Amino acid sequence: MRSGRTYFIADLHLTDERPVATGRFFRFLEEEAKGADALYILGDLFEAWIGDDHDEQVAHDTARRLKSLADTGTPIFFMPGNRDFMLAKVYARRSGMTLIPDPTRINLYGTATLLMHGDTLCIDDVAYQTFRRRIRHPFMLGLLRRLPFSWRRKMASQARAGSESAKASKSSDIMDVNIKAVERSLRTHHAQRLIHGHTHRPAKHIHLLDGQECERWVVPDWYIRWGYVLCDGHGCALKAEPLFTEPPEHKIASNQGQ
Ligand code: MN
């Protein structure tokens, strides 16, 4: 058992259709994450989530695996992403996860650290931000939750197809974070460090803010790679490893499917 470390993961996009990523995630829970101070899931754990009655096998298996990690004493925190913002109390309870809002500021081994999924930083994508404001409005969420399961499933697959085709015509720049939005978030929350996902562009960035160096860590997605950001009292590190030992038959662009 190692201690004094905290893991940050995001953009696993788990689905029954990508069993290799699911298998690696379950190993991660049993090996790396075991005994950690905490595990933070910063959104898009699932490829799609239409409600806590979501019926994919991966949803049931993931709940069981998360719960057994939580039961060994590692707290798990879940922040909703743009794919799984419908994940709510019922599933969180089953999985032993604590829901946290986006953004959340934590004291991480003495450093004020801001956690976000990352989509709210992509303000240059005006069409997406408009869509996000509408769909995440409490009234709309309440309405969505009351719809029959089959309707929600159909709407989710239509929304995904729509977002895939919209993304194809968007420039790569507008799908990345806006630096002004990053700096505003760090300032507003008086944070020295930001950890987020969503863009599928794992990296460490340094932002000079009012003469002070702030770190921004972008957590890797789990499409053709897997990984995490790991922090302890000395700082953070990024890990990203190939998911497949052999190249997949159909190569998926690494920035696919935000
Ligand atoms: Mn996302």
Side-chain angles (χ1 to χ4, degrees):
M1 288 259 285
R2 290 168 290 169
S3 64
R5 66 213 154 80
T6 297
Y7 286 91
F8 299 86
I9 55 171
D11 303 301
L12 290 90
H13 292 257
L14 299 179
T15 157
D16 285 349
E17 288 155 37
R18 296 178 49 249
V20 176
T22 305
R24 194 63 196 73
F25 176 52
F26 292 167
R27 255 183 76 192
F28 164 81
L29 292 177
E30 276 167 17
E31 295 174 7
E32 287 88 350
K34 197 164 191 182
D37 288 342
L39 169 64
Y40 285 87
I41 303 170
L42 301 179
D44 289 0
L45 173 62
F46 294 103
E47 173 76 3
W49 193 263
I50 59 172
D52 286 356
D53 49 359
H54 197 89
D55 67 347
E56 272 187 291
Q57 187 59 41
V58 71
H60 301 293
D61 296 344
T62 299
R64 209 173 52 243
R65 302 284 188 134
L66 287 170
K67 184 71 167 61
S68 64
L69 176 66
D71 286 346
T72 63
T74 294
I76 305 170
F77 300 93
F78 178 86
M79 176 182 286
N82 54 301
R83 300 296 194 109
D84 49 15
F85 61 87
M86 297 273 287
L87 198 155
K89 282 182 202 142
V90 173
Y91 188 78
R93 200 175 304 125
R94 256 177 78 195
S95 314
M97 302 194 288
T98 303
L99 294 171
I100 56 170
D102 181 2
T104 288
R105 180 183 182 269
I106 59 168
N107 177 344
L108 187 60
Y109 305 109
T111 302
T113 303
L114 187 63
L115 310 177
M116 304 175 87
H117 174 56
D119 55 331
T120 55
L121 297 168
C122 302
I123 57 171
D124 297 325
D125 191 346
V126 177
Y128 169 71
Q129 295 300 337
T130 306
F131 167 77
R132 186 186 192 279
R133 265 194 303 278
R134 284 181 188 153
I135 199 88
R136 306 284 280 269
H137 190 281
F139 177 78
M140 184 61 103
L141 282 176
L143 204 67
L144 282 173
R145 291 208 166 95
R146 280 172 185 81
L147 290 175
F149 183 79
S150 60
W151 289 27
R152 281 179 279 133
R153 183 159 55 192
K154 202 169 165 194
M155 285 170 70
S157 78
Q158 282 169 350
R160 267 212 314 289
S163 112
E164 291 306 318
S165 69
K167 269 201 297 261
S169 63
K170 282 176 188 173
S171 83
S172 146
D173 281 354
I174 73 161
M175 289 168 65
D176 201 357
V177 299
N178 174 293
I179 299 305
K180 287 205 173 75
V182 167
E183 293 178 353
R184 198 181 312 132
S185 300
L186 283 164
R187 258 197 202 99
T188 307
H189 297 275
H190 305 285
Q192 279 87 56
R193 187 196 279 137
L194 169 61
I195 304 176
H196 72 82
H198 183 65
T199 61
H200 301 194
R201 299 172 195 210
K204 176 194 182 180
H205 300 274
I206 299 287
H207 299 269
L208 198 61
L209 218 71
D210 310 321
Q212 195 193 10
E213 277 193 1
C214 294
E215 294 176 0
R216 176 167 66 94
W217 294 87
V218 187
V219 179
D221 56 281
W222 291 49
Y223 271 104
I224 54 167
R225 61 192 156 215
W226 71 278
Y228 48 77
V229 167
L230 172 62
C231 301
D232 63 20
H234 303 289
C236 300
L238 169 68
K239 167 150 172 148
E241 294 283 325
L243 190 55
F244 302 91
T245 42
E246 297 293 322
E249 250 176 66
H250 305 286
K251 272 211 166 159
I252 302 162
S254 59
N255 65 347
Q256 173 184 328
Q258 291 181 342

